[in-house]
Amino acid sequence: MPSKSKAGPDTISSLRSVVPEIFDAAQRSATGHRKHAVALHSLQSKCHSVDVENLTGEMAFTQEFIRNLNKVLGIKKREPSADKIVKLVAIFVQVGHEIDAKAKAQRQKHKQKSGDADDVFADPAADDDEEEGDTVTSRFAESLIKYLLQGFQAKEKMTRVRCCQIVAMSVTNLGAIDEELYFELIRKLTERIRDKEASIRVHAAIALARLQSSDDGEASEVNEALLDLMQNDPSAEVRRAVLLNIEKNASTLPFVLERARDVDATNRKCVFVKVMAAIDYRLLSIEDRERLLVAGINDRDSGVKRACVRMVGESWLTFAGQNLLELTAALDVVDSPAAGKVMQALFAAYTEIPENLSFDNDLWETLTPEVAFVIRATLEFFAERHDSDQLDRHMPDGMRLAQMLEAMGAKLESETDDEVRADHEFVVHQLLLIARMSDFPDELGRRAMLTLMRKMLLVPEIPENNIEAVSDIIRKLSVSEQDFVRIMVEVISDVREPMPTEADGMPAERVRIESLLIGIKCLIIIKYLLQRCFDKLNDGSSIYALLTECIVPAVQSSETVLQEFGIECLALCCLLDRSLAVDNVVLFAQAVRQGAGELHAKGLAALLDLALMYGVADLAPALGAPDMLIKILRNELHSSDERTQATAAEGFARLLYAHRIAEPAPILEELLVLYYHPDTTSNDALRQCLAYFFPAFSYMSNENQVLMQQVAVPTVCRLGGVLKQQAGEGQAGATQSQVAHQVVTWSDPRILDAISVMNGTTTAMSSSGLRVAARMNSYAQLGVDALKKTFSATPNTRKVLVQMLNRLSLDDTTPVTHTQQLFVLVRTLAQQELITDMITRNAMVRFEATLLKLLDVENPDDVNLEAWIEEPEMESVFEFVSSLDEDGPDDEDELEGAESAGDDDDDEEDSVRVASDSDVSERHPSEEPVLAGLNLRSRLPASSAVPSRSPMKRARQERLEELTREIDELL
């Protein structure tokens, strides 16, 4: 329909007023953007009709539009008015294509009705242009894209951001564009996804993902670029942008599933809520489903767990037609380690699902793996909630459970197909887990179940997980622990009764294998028996008979597998008898020293468990030396096997937490070094354990914090060289400064007080001023130790230690004595001229200003050092200052050499080379001791005979001397 108003020169002249008015209205509110876009399109159509052949009016509109758009291209990120204009541009392009599409459809419909396809008065050129997509909107979009592509190379980052943002929002509505422009756009966007600014990479990745097409030849290159970006880009927002916008197909889906392990919790959550929720789970292989569920349900972030459960409960269950059994079949419950957790989490999130389930008699009679799994999961859910009514409604009586177990066991024995046997074994295991939750109220059911359990333990091929479940059921059916031990001992005796011999006509090798299998089965039963015993062993206990007849022969056997099970059972016995543990600690130590594989691992676990149970002090004398046990265990911290290293670290963490070590400081320091050492980067079990242990240990008590404060400085110094080497090689990891910041945080007593207040454990004594002052006493001592170490540390470590001082955040609760000690050491360090870089010097100046504020002194010259020298508490500091002339390096070049010589060994000890007495006397023959040169007038604890030089002058003098030496060599 033609416009009522006529287009003419007035329309062109009004552009400079109308277009700015529309832009101004659009940047104020986003509610009328579509109305503003329609107005702009109407104005564009009028300009087009001014000169249809030469398109001068259309070009004038495009120029005016770009002129107004230029005003927002340089505006900073997240400016609401600029973001609204960007949105207006995208909606304008979208509205134009929608209007063009409607007009095209109307023309085609009109042609079909009027039959004027052969109308001689029709304009064939115009029709061809319309068919090829050459419209006002398409020409405007091409002009806009060409202009924005120029901004991709702009020097200002905000210009690049805005250009990429507009392209990303408009690219889906571009319609058909010139092929050359399309490939140019692809090339420019591929360059921008490597931009140094993350925000630019985000918009470029979105635009590039929306331009993906399986028809063009560069599709594979675009996909590879996007997949590389999603895997390796350091920005979580960039990875998320690719994750949400990349095309989901068979080639990209495996990489999308990898983001379930992304380091960013929001990205992991997006995988479950936004990406995989829209994909039918049947398109994934069983392995992919399993990996996805394991990653989600075991995630440490509760939001990611909820997202995973939401995906299963709302998306996957919908794809399964709200059929829980069909969904369970897709989870492959027979072999899935995560199916149980997923089902429990699903029931907890959607309680109406288990509450509405019902299991009739026919279902119990025709148990399949999926049905048995759902029944067990439902009953387990109600048992955890202590919902006795629901349990009684679904739980069969004991007699019926025994009958079903016996019937399923008979099917299992008669089945020959391995796959079907695996299903029957799974059903039997689920029934055993159900029986473990039953209370067995009827006596007949108790007797029938107990008889059946004893029979099941005699089955030669019973799986180990079934032995565990049967042991739990027998313990539940037993009257007391003694009764349970008696029953299990009788079962073990029955298992050993038909011991094969060569007299039965069997080959010797077959007899050996059969005897080995029977021995292993007996030891497994003994293991689960001992794990369920808590009473101390007495002289008449039946367990001693098992110890003599089964466990000791297994430990002494030449078969490694028997030794492994024997060591484990012997350790469990030792947990019930202190004297037995003391007698056998040498055996466990021998297993750790000489054993390999599982024997070594179980020996180490036994030593750690016994040390935790009885304490290191009670077990160590049996090894001949008080510290021998700690030495054996400490050697395992440096094992080449990651599993052994993680086990030892976890064991030491338990011992420290339980205060079972007499001298815990060296062990705590060793664990800190191990935690940050680059060699443990791939040991996730060790790092995860210690990441939880250190804050829990430090914030448990003030004594633990004092221990952390004692080892903080030695740890930072030991890690200096190895962390510097790691950074030089480009490896990711913590820096020495980050380590210092972390240990200072763990040592802060104010955090401990805040946690105590939050937990409601603060007492009147702990919150008193006296207790707070005592805590700050040890905290300030950390600063004293750091300052003392700076005089002998390498330059890099010295820089970290000085910067660490400002992180102490000392306040009015800091004891005055420690404030004075810190001030004397800071002034001495300044006089020694050991610090040359400006950043460290400024950090020291800030710390000195803090000390002056605490001392209530404005000028360092106002400090009364005469009174401090007489104080007994200050004697140690002044003795340290006086010893610097004799023991400490006094020359920067010497420290530089010490650093280069000691970097290779800093991972084991602080490898700073200290000058000898003779070296000091040769370098400074006329210099007096530092304390002797104490100038009370200047209040500086350093020799006044040596004038202070600025770092710039000293560096210039050193460079001049170096040039002189080079010239002498050349001559």
Side-chain angles (χ1 to χ4, degrees), residues 464 509 512-525 527 550-570 591 595-603:
E464 184 175 347
E509 183 64 20
R512 188 187 70 83
I513 294 176
E514 290 292 335
S515 301
L516 181 62
L517 293 176
I518 292 175
I520 292 173
K521 182 177 179 181
C522 290
L523 291 172
I524 291 174
I525 297 175
K527 178 181 73 172
C550 298
I551 299 177
V552 173
V555 174
Q556 297 174 348
S557 172
S558 59
E559 297 288 348
T560 304
V561 64
L562 287 179
Q563 290 180 351
E564 295 169 0
F565 282 105
I567 285 286
E568 187 175 7
C569 292
L570 182 60
E598 284 297 318
L599 183 61
H600 178 274
K602 291 183 177 179

Side-chain angles (χ1 to χ4, degrees), residues 640-867:
S640 58
D641 181 63
E642 291 187 350
R643 177 187 170 191
T644 301
Q645 201 176 38
T647 303
E650 181 180 352
F652 270 123
R654 293 174 185 270
L655 293 174
L656 289 172
Y657 200 82
H659 301 285
R660 289 294 193 179
I661 301 178
E663 297 180 0
I667 303 302
L668 182 60
E669 181 182 338
E670 199 71 31
L671 291 181
L672 281 167
V673 172
L674 201 65
Y675 178 61
Y676 289 108
H677 203 283
D679 290 347
T680 63
T681 303
S682 60
N683 197 340
D684 296 332
L686 179 143
R687 292 211 166 186
Q688 185 173 3
C689 171
L690 295 181
Y692 175 83
F693 164 72
F694 288 130
F697 175 80
S698 300
Y699 301 140
M700 184 180 71
S701 66
N702 182 46
E703 292 75 14
N704 291 353
Q705 273 204 332
V706 171
L707 193 63
M708 182 65 72
Q709 292 158 5
Q710 292 173 0
V711 303
V713 174
T715 300
V716 172
C717 294
R718 285 182 59 182
L719 287 168
V722 68
L723 293 182
K724 180 182 177 182
Q725 181 181 1
Q726 171 187 264
E729 295 175 355
Q731 300 178 9
T735 63
Q736 193 179 13
S737 179
Q738 291 172 338
V739 173
H741 179 64
Q742 186 65 75
V743 294
V744 167
T745 304
W746 287 333
S747 304
D748 195 339
R750 289 160 296 193
I751 299 179
L752 175 61
D753 292 336
I755 293 176
S756 300
V757 172
M758 183 177 60
N759 295 333
T761 58
T762 303
T763 62
M765 182 179 179
S766 65
S767 60
S768 65
L770 182 63
R771 186 65 179 264
V772 171
R775 292 181 180 180
M776 291 302 294
N777 186 13
S778 59
Y779 188 52
Q781 184 62 40
L782 172 59
V784 174
D785 296 341
L787 276 172
K788 287 182 178 180
K789 194 64 179 177
T790 54
F791 291 94
S792 59
T794 62
N796 287 332
T797 302
R798 185 185 301 129
K799 181 189 303 184
V800 172
L801 293 175
V802 171
Q803 293 173 352
M804 185 175 73
L805 296 173
N806 289 291
R807 296 192 176 104
L808 293 176
S809 302
L810 302 178
D811 53 22
D812 296 336
T813 59
T814 306
V816 177
T817 301
H818 282 85
T819 306
Q820 295 172 354
Q821 292 177 358
L822 290 170
F823 180 79
V824 170
L825 293 172
V826 166
R827 298 300 293 170
T828 304
L829 183 62
Q831 186 65 23
Q832 291 285 315
E833 295 186 355
L834 295 178
I835 299 175
T836 57
D837 64 289
M838 190 58 64
I839 296 177
T840 309
R841 289 172 62 87
N842 291 338
M844 193 170 65
V845 169
R846 290 196 303 270
F847 185 67
E848 183 181 359
T850 302
L851 297 177
L852 292 174
K853 184 178 180 181
L854 294 177
L855 292 171
D856 198 15
V857 176
E858 294 184 0
N859 196 317
D861 295 336
D862 298 334
V863 175
N864 189 3
L865 278 179
E866 294 177 349

Side-chain angles (χ1 to χ4, degrees), residues 798 834 888-896 923-924 958:
R798 185 185 301 129
L834 295 178
D890 201 4
D891 192 279
E892 187 73 17
D893 295 335
E894 178 186 350
L895 285 171
E896 292 288 352
R923 291 192 178 105
H924 306 285
E958 291 175 356

